[in-house]
């Protein structure tokens, strides 16, 4: 703390003394009184032990300049003191000034003046250390430049990041052409930023940082610098207000929802309160420090997509402006909306490519790359397309290698990465939000709490497993420690050295410290997100309690692993001393080489066992059938088992390759000492390494095959689930009165009665009259040719038919209605308007085309070969008949309400029937067309059910050849066939894709006479 004192300096004291002496003289001495100059001093100590560390990635920003500031109460950035290493001892400062405030400010300025230059490393990593007393927001920017320094940006966009002005020399990274391709370094102007809030908390001795184990670190905070954190930082700085944890959480949530949408935001539940806790992943070089979870992969793919766009700066500016206006996607500003559309295309392509990387071979990756390039560059010339296609071979190879490295580094498993890739692709199909979607409500927070609970639970499970591994490692450490110290002799020294080496190798492979640190950093993100939830409602307190408990436990695990590392380092030093003390370099080297080779042999045995398991599981999956629902379900289980087995096989090979590399190091060290048999060891290990590479390739091939089998089985299961609904729909249609022979007969019988009575009345030659039909004794009639009206009634059944007509040029328009009875008490009603006058007016308008079929009830329109009246209608020829009827059919089971439309073209001897409406709870449409040829009638029929499944039954044919067709339904956003249909004598027979044959009887779908 700064200690404030007020004192007189020697100069001030001298002046005061002189003034005191002269005051005793006479006034003639002309001495002028001088006011003493008061000087203020501020002095104090400072230690810089609060670590803020992270990575700047868009891909990785190498040798980028790191600038550190803080934010004042108005959100403006101001300098802050920091160091590039934790303080081992306090730094002392002392300054003088004419006021205490000036002295204090001078001390702070001295602290700031000692700030070092900080650059990122090749991975984009940086670490800075703040004063122990610091609390508040720290604002960090990371910048690469196109010219003037050694900063570079790595391209992690699969479709490339533009072009070099001058092609670089060919090396391990660059292929020597002018295209900036995936994994290549290039110069550009880019500035990313992050705002991290450092709370006033108790000292944290966990040392969870890039320098884990540093006893001088009192508290450590992750502050990754990414595209999303830059947007959040810009919003915070533009707010003009102070920044705290709540402000960062709100800006983070708003940014993610605006850019990615609410569904994708839920994938980021672990870091949604502070995006700087994760997401710093360079897809071209995944180091394994951060797990490739769903949310982290989503951020990485978003960042990769943006880097592949023409101008990163313009994209960031547009997104920032869109977020501030409340809506990025679909913004009223055409330029911002265009950027949103372009970003959607880019991220969709990236997601497609990543699925190919995670689940396919290099050929599949090449195909995805070429498709993405074409979509991203619709105006590309053929030469540009060809050039990218040629380069895609190399890009696919690098992308596949990057994925394999991520798996080998422990960032994910093959199976986990494949599942995540498919899930993220779905989540990113529609990014951003519009309208009400941009405002999160209670439902979102409930879903977020659930997602966060899943994350915390998974991390707690991982921590429990890690704690068991730590206990095992500590036990092994104790065993080796017991071999040293006072127990160490010339006889066991070589064994001790070998045991230490094996322990060190095992520790390097296990990576316990990194795993503990990863869980601890995650827990920090969980706590931040949970606090944001509790701000919304105290109902989420349990989530915060669980996250806090995890953080405490993870901190203990970090402390344990740090202590383990320190103890192991002491053992390594003791082993090195033992080699010199007992002069056992050759003996120790020989034993270490032999023991590490034995470990490689053990890993080889594990890999061979895993290969056998994977090969067997794959064979079972390949032999599985997917022809029925039960078989498909079993096939899916077998395929998933094969995927897991292949993933385990790949992990076993990775462990084997690490063991071989460690054994080769030991064997070469033994060779340098001219050890006997060393070369033979190296030769054997080299041969094993070659075989391991082949095993790795086999594991990759088996994984791709198994995953494709899983996809095929998933498809079959999904199809067969749809098939169940298809069959149910077919069954429901077959029992509907309107589609059965019974229902059809009811309508046909009414038409026959109407035709008979009209013919009978015509033969009578009267203009009007009433009576009972001689042909249909139960039917009474009343008609008027002058008024063109007809009424038929059946006193026995209660049925009735009425009609009113009008001559309209070359048309006779009839408005009609009916109440009919069919077999088994089926009732059929042709609905008409309340009055015949209104009904006829509507039908005349319908015939004229001024209203459509949805605005009428039941109409019949005859079109003649010329204008007709009552005087010439008998001599006119009908060329077209059209009817549109509002029909209601009830049979006590299904019933039907809808429209029945019929057209008959006498000139072409063709016609069509359309029936559209609802029966039961099924909304469907039937369309039948028929054509009379010289030989026989040809017909086509389509029945479409208006539901999400899109059920369609299509049949075509004629009487001699038979009527056949397909049953179609929507699957995976496409129509596909679920069976073939054939007309039978008394109905319909459908053979479904699972081999099931179902006959539907009493179905009379195609019959033009009706």
């Amino acid at each position: 703390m700064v200690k404030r004192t007020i004192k007189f300096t020697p100069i001030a004291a001298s002046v005061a003394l002189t003034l005191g002496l002269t005051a005793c003289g006479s006034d003639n001495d002309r001495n002028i009184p001088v006011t003493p100059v008061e000087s203020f001093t501020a002095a104090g100590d400072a230690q810089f032990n609060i670590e803020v560390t992270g990575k700047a990635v868009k891909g990785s920003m190498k040798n980028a300049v790191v600038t550190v500031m803080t934010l004042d109460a108005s959100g403006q950035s101001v300098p802050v003191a920091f160091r590039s290493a934790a303080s081992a001892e306090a730094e002392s400062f002392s300054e003088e000034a004419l006021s205490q405030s000036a002295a204090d400010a001078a001390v702070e300025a001295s602290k700031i003046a000692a700030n070092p230059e900080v650059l990122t490393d090749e991975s984009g990593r940086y670490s800075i250390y703040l004063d122990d007393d610091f609390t508040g927001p720290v604002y960090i920017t990371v910048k690469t430049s196109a010219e003037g320094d050694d900063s570079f940006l790595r391209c992690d966009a699969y479709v490339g990041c533009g072009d070099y002005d001058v092609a670089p020399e060919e090396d391990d990274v660059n292929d020597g052409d002018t295209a900036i391709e995936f994994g290549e370094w290039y110069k550009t102007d880019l500035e990313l930023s992050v705002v991290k809030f450092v709370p006033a908390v108790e000292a944290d001795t966990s040392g969870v940082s890039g320098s884990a184990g540093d006893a001088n670190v009192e508290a450590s905070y992750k502050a990754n610098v990414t595209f999303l954190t830059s947007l959040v930082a810009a919003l915070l700085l533009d707010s003009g207000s102070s920044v705290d944890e709540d402000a960062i959480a709100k800006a983070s949530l708003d940014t993610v929802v605006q850019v990615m949408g609410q569904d994708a935001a839920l994938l980021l539940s672990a870091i949604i309160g502070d995006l700087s806790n994760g997401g710093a992943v360079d897809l071209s070089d995944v180091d394994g420090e951060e797990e490739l979870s769903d949310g982290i992969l989503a951020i990485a793919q978003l960042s990769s997509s943006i880097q592949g766009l023409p101008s990163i700066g313009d994209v960031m500016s547009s997104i920032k402006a869109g977020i501030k206006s409340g809506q990025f996607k679909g913004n009223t500003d055409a330029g911002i909306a265009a950027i949103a559309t372009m970003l959607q295309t880019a991220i969709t392509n990236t997601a497609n490519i990543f699925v190919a990387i995670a689940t396919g071979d290099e050929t599949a990756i090449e195909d995805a790359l070429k498709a993405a390039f074409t979509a991203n560059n619709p105006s590309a010339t053929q030469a540009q397309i060809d050039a990218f296609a040629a380069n895609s071979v190399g890009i696919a190879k690098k992308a596949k290698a990057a994925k394999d490295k991520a798996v080998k580094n422990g960032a994910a498993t093959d199976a986990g990465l494949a599942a995540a890739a498919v899930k993220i692709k779905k989540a990113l199909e529609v990014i951003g939000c519009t309208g009400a979607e941009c405002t999160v409500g209670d439902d979102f927070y409930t879903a977020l709490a659930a997602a966060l609970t899943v994350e915390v639970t998974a991390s707690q499970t991982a921590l429990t497993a890690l704690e068991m591994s730590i206990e095992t490692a500590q036990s092994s450490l104790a065993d080796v420690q017991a071999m040293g110290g006072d127990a160490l002799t010339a006889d066991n020294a070589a064994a001790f050295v070998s045991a230490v080496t094996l322990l060190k190798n095992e520790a390097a492979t296990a990576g316990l410290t990194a795993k503990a640190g990863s869980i601890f950093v995650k827990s920090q993100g969980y706590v931040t997100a949970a606090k944001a939830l509790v701000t919304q409602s105290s109902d989420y307190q349990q989530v915060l309690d669980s996250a806090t408990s995890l953080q405490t436990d993870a901190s203990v695990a970090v402390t344990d692993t740090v202590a383990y590392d320190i103890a192991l380092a002491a053992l390594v030093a003791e082993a090195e001393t033992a080699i010199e003390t007992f002069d056992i370099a050759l003996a120790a080297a020989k034993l270490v080489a032999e023991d590490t080779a034995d470990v490689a042999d053990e890993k080889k045995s594990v890999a061979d066992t895993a290969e056998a398991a994977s090969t067997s599981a794959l064979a079972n999956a390949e032999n599985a059938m997917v022809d029925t629902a039960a078989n498909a379900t079993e096939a899916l289980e077998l395929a998933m088992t094969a995927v897991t087995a292949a993933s385990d096989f790949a992990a076993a090979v990775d462990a084997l390759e690490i063991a071989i590399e460690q054994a080769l190091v030991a064997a070469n060290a033994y060779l340098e000492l001219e050890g006997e048999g060393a070369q033979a060891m190296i030769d054997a290990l080299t041969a094993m390494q070659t075989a391991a590479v082949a095993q790795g390739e086999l594991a990759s091939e088996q994984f791709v095959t198994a995953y494709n089998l899983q996809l095929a089985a998933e498809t079959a299961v999904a199809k067969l689930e749809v098939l169940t609904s298809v069959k149910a729909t077919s069954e429901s249609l077959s029992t509907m009165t309107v589609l059965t022979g019974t229902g059809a007969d009811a309508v046909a019988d009414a038409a026959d009665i109407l035709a008979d009575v009209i013919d009978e009345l015509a033969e009578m030659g009267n203009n009007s009259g009433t009576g009972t039909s001689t042909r249909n004794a139960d039917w009474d009639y009343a008609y008027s040719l002058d008024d063109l009206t007809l009424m038929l009634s059946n006193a026995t059944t209660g049925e009735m038919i009425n009609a009113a007509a009008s001559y309209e040029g070359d048309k006779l328009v009839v408005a009609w209605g009916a109440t009919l009875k069919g077999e088994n008490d089926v009732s059929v009603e042709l609905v008409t308007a309340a009055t015949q006058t209104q009904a006829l007016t509507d039908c005349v308008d319908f015939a004229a085309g001024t209203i459509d079929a949805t605005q009428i009830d039941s109409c019949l329109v005859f079109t003649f070969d010329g204008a007709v009246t009552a005087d010439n209608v008998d001599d006119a020829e009908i060329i077209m008949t059209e009817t549109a009827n509002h029909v209601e059919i009830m049979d006590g089971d299904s019933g039907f309400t809808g429209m029945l439309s019929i057209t008959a073209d006498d000139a072409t001897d063709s016609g069509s029937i359309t029936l559209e409406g609802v029966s039961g709870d099924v909304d469907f449409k039937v369309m039948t067309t028929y054509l009379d040829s010289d030989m026989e009638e040809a017909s086509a029929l389509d029945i479409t059910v208006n539901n999400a499944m899109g059920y369609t039954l299509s049949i075509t044919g004629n009487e001699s050849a038979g009527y056949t067709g397909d049953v179609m339904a929507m699957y995976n956003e496409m129509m596909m066939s679920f069976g073939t249909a054939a007309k039978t004598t008394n109905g319909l027979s459908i053979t479904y894709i699972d081999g099931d044959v179902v006959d539907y009887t009493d179905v009379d779908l195609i019959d033009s006479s009706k």
Side-chain angles (χ1 to χ4, degrees):
M1 297 293 292
V2 176
K3 300 174 182 178
R4 297 179 177 178
T5 59
I6 302 176
K7 63 180 182 179
F8 288 111
T9 65
I11 296 176
S14 176
V15 171
L17 179 60
T18 301
L19 290 175
L21 292 174
T22 56
C24 299
S26 66
D27 293 341
N28 293 332
D29 292 335
R30 295 184 178 183
N31 291 320
I32 301 174
V34 177
T35 302
V37 177
E38 187 176 18
S39 177
F40 294 83
T41 298
D45 298 333
Q47 284 190 265
F48 297 85
N49 302 126
I50 296 179
E51 182 186 49
V52 179
T53 183
K55 290 193 293 186
V57 173
K58 172 104 217 32
S60 299
M61 301 174 73
K62 177 173 67 172
N63 294 329
V65 176
V66 179
T67 302
V68 184
M69 307 286 277
T70 186
L71 302 177
D72 62 19
S74 62
Q76 298 300 306
S77 60
V78 294
V80 66
F82 68 92
R83 298 294 182 265
S84 58
S87 299
E89 297 179 354
E91 297 180 33
S92 297
F93 300 89
S94 179
E95 297 292 341
E96 288 184 13
L98 297 180
S99 68
Q100 189 61 56
S101 60
D104 291 343
V107 168
E108 292 304 316
S110 295
K111 292 181 183 179
I112 293 170
N115 286 350
E117 179 185 55
V118 176
L119 301 177
T120 60
D121 67 10
E122 187 166 319
S123 297
R125 182 185 304 282
Y126 75 94
S127 292
I128 58 100
Y129 299 84
L130 299 169
D131 193 326
D132 290 3
D133 291 333
F134 181 86
T135 180
V138 56
Y139 173 52
I140 299 170
T141 62
V142 182
K143 183 177 182 180
T144 59
S145 299
E147 297 178 355
D149 62 15
D150 292 327
S151 63
F152 286 88
L153 181 66
R154 182 157 49 200
C155 176
D156 76 339
Y158 297 117
V159 294
C161 300
D163 298 288
Y164 299 104
D165 292 332
V166 178
E169 293 183 8
E170 185 174 352
D171 55 27
D172 293 339
V173 176
N174 299 291
D175 59 9
D177 63 17
T178 57
I180 303 173
E181 296 167 0
F182 179 75
E184 295 185 353
W185 293 101
Y186 66 105
K187 297 284 291 177
T188 190
D189 292 319
L190 177 66
E191 181 175 287
L192 299 181
S193 55
V194 63
V195 174
K196 185 75 178 185
F197 189 82
V198 177
V201 294
E202 294 295 329
D204 170 19
T205 58
S206 66
V208 186
S209 70
S211 54
D214 189 339
N216 298 317
V217 174
E218 292 190 2
S220 181
Y221 301 94
K222 181 72 70 177
N224 289 319
V225 187
T226 66
F227 168 72
L228 286 178
T229 67
S230 301
L231 291 176
V232 173
L235 293 174
L236 292 170
L237 266 66
D238 287 350
S239 69
S241 58
S242 60
V243 173
D244 57 15
E245 286 181 298
D246 290 342
I248 293 174
K250 183 180 185 306
S252 296
L253 177 58
D254 289 346
T255 297
V256 173
V257 170
Q258 286 276 352
V259 177
M260 303 180 73
Q262 290 194 22
D263 289 343
L266 294 176
L267 297 179
L268 304 179
S269 59
I271 61 172
I272 197 68
D274 182 354
L275 298 173
S276 70
N277 282 316
V281 173
D282 180 344
L283 290 176
S284 69
D285 187 22
V286 181
D287 56 18
E289 177 182 332
E290 193 163 3
E291 179 186 348
L292 292 182
S293 63
D294 296 342
I296 299 307
L297 268 174
I299 293 178
Q301 290 185 30
L302 172 68
S303 179
S304 170
S305 302
I306 290 169
Q307 192 176 13
L309 297 178
S311 170
I312 299 175
D314 289 346
V315 171
M316 291 180 64
S317 296
S318 293
I319 295 178
K320 172 186 167 185
I323 295 173
K324 290 185 66 176
S325 70
Q327 184 170 306
F328 166 53
K329 186 173 72 172
N331 197 281
T332 54
D333 184 303
I336 296 176
I339 291 290
T341 301
M342 183 168 57
L343 178 58
Q344 178 67 78
T345 299
I347 198 168
T348 297
N349 289 330
T350 299
N352 289 336
I353 294 170
F354 195 84
V355 168
I357 293 170
T359 65
D361 54 18
E362 290 182 18
T363 300
I365 301 173
E366 290 173 32
D367 292 340
L369 284 167
K370 288 182 281 190
F373 179 81
T374 303
N376 277 350
N377 302 277
S379 59
T381 65
Q382 189 59 49
Q384 291 172 322
I385 295 174
D386 292 342
F388 184 83
N391 284 341
S392 67
V393 176
I395 299 171
K397 190 177 293 296
K398 287 195 289 186
K400 179 68 163 53
K403 173 257 184 182
D404 290 342
K405 181 178 180 181
V407 172
K408 185 168 293 188
N409 286 339
T413 64
D414 282 318
L417 204 57
V422 174
K423 183 177 181 180
I424 294 164
K425 176 185 175 183
K426 183 68 175 177
L428 298 180
E429 284 180 350
V430 180
I431 64 171
C433 62
T434 57
E437 299 172 351
C438 297
T439 302
V440 297
D442 292 341
D443 289 345
F444 175 82
Y445 288 114
T446 299
L448 179 61
L452 185 58
T453 299
V454 170
E455 291 278 358
V456 173
T457 302
S459 290
Q460 186 62 63
T461 300
L463 179 60
T464 300
L466 177 63
E467 288 169 339
M468 294 177 63
S469 297
I470 293 173
E471 290 179 6
T472 300
Q474 289 171 332
S475 177
S476 298
L477 177 72
D479 290 342
V480 177
Q481 286 174 327
M483 297 174 64
D486 295 339
L488 189 61
T489 65
D491 293 334
N492 69 358
F496 172 69
V497 172
S498 181
V500 170
T501 302
L502 293 181
L503 193 64
K504 182 178 69 173
N505 288 347
E506 186 176 343
T509 303
L512 299 180
T513 302
K515 290 177 180 177
S518 175
I519 295 175
F520 181 80
V521 171
K522 282 185 181 181
S523 70
Q524 288 179 313
Y526 299 157
V527 169
T528 303
K531 285 181 179 178
L533 282 171
V534 172
T535 300
Q536 296 297 319
S537 172
S538 60
D539 293 343
Y540 301 120
Q541 183 62 45
Q542 181 58 52
V543 182
L544 177 57
D545 292 343
S546 297
T548 302
S549 176
L550 173 66
Q551 185 177 23
T552 300
D553 293 342
S555 177
V556 173
V558 170
T559 301
D560 289 343
T561 56
V562 169
Y564 175 86
D565 289 342
I566 293 172
L568 179 58
L571 275 177
V572 171
E574 185 178 357
E576 292 172 349
T577 300
I579 292 173
E580 295 181 3
T581 301
F582 297 105
D583 192 20
I584 56 168
L586 181 62
K590 181 177 186 294
L591 188 57
V592 168
E594 291 172 344
D595 288 348
T596 54
D598 288 343
V599 171
D601 286 336
E602 293 172 3
K603 299 295 184 182
K604 172 63 174 172
S605 178
V606 172
D608 289 345
T609 300
E611 178 182 349
S614 178
T615 301
S616 175
L618 183 59
N620 291 335
E622 288 177 321
N623 292 329
M625 302 294 290
V626 293
D627 53 338
T628 66
N631 287 344
T633 300
E634 182 181 2
L636 177 57
E637 293 175 356
L638 292 172
M640 294 174 65
T641 299
V643 166
T644 301
S647 184
D648 292 344
F649 177 24
V653 174
D654 288 341
L656 169 60
E657 290 180 330
I658 292 172
I660 293 172
E661 290 171 2
Q662 293 170 341
L664 279 170
V665 170
N668 278 294
Y670 182 43
L671 180 65
E672 290 180 1
L673 297 175
E674 298 181 356
E676 182 180 353
Q679 188 59 55
M681 289 183 181
I682 293 173
D683 292 342
L685 288 168
T686 301
M688 185 185 294
Q689 190 174 49
T690 301
V693 171
Q695 276 190 306
E697 293 174 351
L698 176 61
S700 180
E701 292 171 2
Q702 289 188 342
F703 177 81
V704 171
T705 302
Y707 191 79
N708 285 329
L709 287 172
Q710 178 180 322
L711 291 179
E714 288 173 345
T715 299
V717 168
K719 284 181 180 178
L720 292 168
E721 286 178 354
V722 175
L723 178 62
T724 300
S725 298
V726 169
K727 289 181 177 180
T729 303
S730 296
E731 182 65 31
S732 65
L733 289 175
S734 71
T735 59
M736 291 179 185
T737 299
V738 71
L739 296 180
T740 62
T742 301
D745 287 343
V747 178
D749 289 346
D752 288 343
I753 292 169
L754 182 60
D756 272 353
V757 174
I758 290 175
D759 187 52
E760 180 181 348
L761 296 178
E763 291 178 354
M764 294 172 61
N766 298 325
N767 286 338
S768 63
T770 61
T772 300
S773 171
T774 58
R775 302 183 187 179
N776 299 277
D778 293 334
W779 287 88
D780 297 327
Y781 60 82
Y783 73 100
S784 171
L785 294 181
D786 295 329
D787 298 332
L788 292 180
T789 59
L790 171 66
M791 174 71 73
L792 298 176
S793 61
N794 188 322
T796 302
T797 63
E799 296 173 279
M800 57 80 62
I801 303 172
N802 66 76
S806 172
Y807 291 109
E808 302 291 333
D810 63 346
K811 293 178 173 59
L812 174 61
V813 179
V814 182
W816 69 319
T819 300
L820 310 170
K821 296 289 184 179
E823 296 180 7
N824 302 318
D825 293 326
V826 173
S827 67
V828 180
E829 181 176 353
L830 301 181
V831 180
T832 189
T835 66
Q836 281 191 334
T837 301
Q838 182 60 53
L840 185 56
T841 298
D842 291 343
C843 289
V844 169
D845 290 340
F846 168 68
T850 58
I851 62 176
D852 59 32
T854 63
Q855 298 170 280
I856 61 172
D857 287 306
S858 300
C859 300
L860 179 62
V861 181
F862 298 100
T863 302
F864 296 86
D865 57 356
V868 290
T869 65
D871 295 331
N872 68 355
V873 67
D874 290 340
D875 299 323
E877 181 181 349
I878 297 176
I879 61 174
M880 178 72 73
T881 303
E882 299 174 84
T883 178
N885 308 289
H886 181 178
V887 181
E888 293 182 1
I889 303 176
M890 294 300 297
D891 65 357
D893 293 325
S894 59
F896 172 80
T897 300
M899 293 297 296
L900 172 63
S901 301
I902 303 172
T903 64
D905 188 337
D906 288 37
T908 60
D909 218 5
S910 63
S912 66
I913 302 172
T914 301
L915 182 67
E916 185 170 13
V918 177
S919 183
D921 58 356
V922 179
D923 181 3
F924 64 96
K925 181 178 183 179
V926 180
M927 295 184 66
T928 302
T929 58
Y930 58 88
L931 175 66
D932 284 336
S933 65
D934 293 337
M935 298 295 294
E936 58 184 322
E937 181 184 277
S939 302
L941 176 139
D942 289 285
I943 300 177
T944 302
V945 178
N946 299 320
N947 59 13
M949 184 176 61
Y951 178 102
T952 301
L953 172 63
S954 300
I955 298 177
T956 60
N958 53 45
E959 198 65 37
S960 62
Y963 298 98
T964 60
D966 288 296
V967 177
M968 310 285 289
M970 185 67 69
Y971 171 75
N972 197 24
E973 301 182 356
M974 295 179 62
M975 292 295 290
M976 68 161 285
S977 175
F978 282 85
T980 57
K983 185 74 170 63
T984 62
T985 302
N986 188 33
L988 191 70
S989 179
I990 300 178
T991 302
Y992 292 103
I993 56 174
D994 62 351
D996 194 10
V997 179
V998 181
D999 293 328
Y1000 303 96
T1001 60
D1002 191 33
V1003 178
D1004 198 357
L1005 299 176
I1006 299 179
D1007 188 346
S1008 64
S1009 67
K1010 301 296 176 66

